[in-house]
Amino acid sequence: MEPVRVRIRDHEYLIKSDGNQEEVLRIADFVNTKLMEVENSTEGLSERKTAVLAALQIASDYFQVLKERDEELARMRRQTEALIHQIDLIMD
């Protein structure tokens, strides 16, 4: 795949990815949005500190999604087991 040129803040990067161009651009836009959120909420941070805080927010969002997914899977597992138990009762 051809590298995709993206702009993160004031810097351009060539990104090689297994994903398609639209996906890479969407991710770059997401990162830019997180960086702007940090910049708008805290004044006077260096570019490095802004990037670290944005990365921490992205990681926090990611782990929250994983937690929600795990909780949903556990809920579905309990429902499936309850249905199997009900079917077993009927079949016996």
Side-chain angles (χ1 to χ4, degrees), residues 51-66:
V52 168
L53 287 175
L56 288 170
Q57 285 186 0
I58 291 168
S60 176
D61 292 348
Y62 172 74
F63 283 109
Q64 181 62 35
V65 168
L66 288 180

Side-chain angles (χ1 to χ4, degrees), residues 11-71:
H11 306 284
E12 280 195 359
Y13 300 92
L14 283 176
I15 307 294
K16 283 185 148 183
S17 171
D18 292 336
N20 61 37
Q21 179 177 352
E22 292 80 23
E23 183 178 332
V24 173
L25 293 172
R26 186 173 55 87
I27 292 168
D29 184 55
F30 178 81
V31 169
N32 272 319
T33 299
K34 285 295 184 182
L35 287 166
M36 284 189 287
E37 288 174 4
V38 170
E39 287 174 345
N40 292 335
S41 68
T42 310
E43 291 185 26
L45 290 179
S46 68
E47 189 172 325
R48 173 182 267 169
K49 287 182 180 179
T50 300
V52 168
L53 287 175
L56 288 170
Q57 285 186 0
I58 291 168
S60 176
D61 292 348
Y62 172 74
F63 283 109
Q64 181 62 35
V65 168
L66 288 180
K67 178 183 173 192
E68 290 170 4
R69 182 207 60 188
D70 290 345
E71 290 170 354

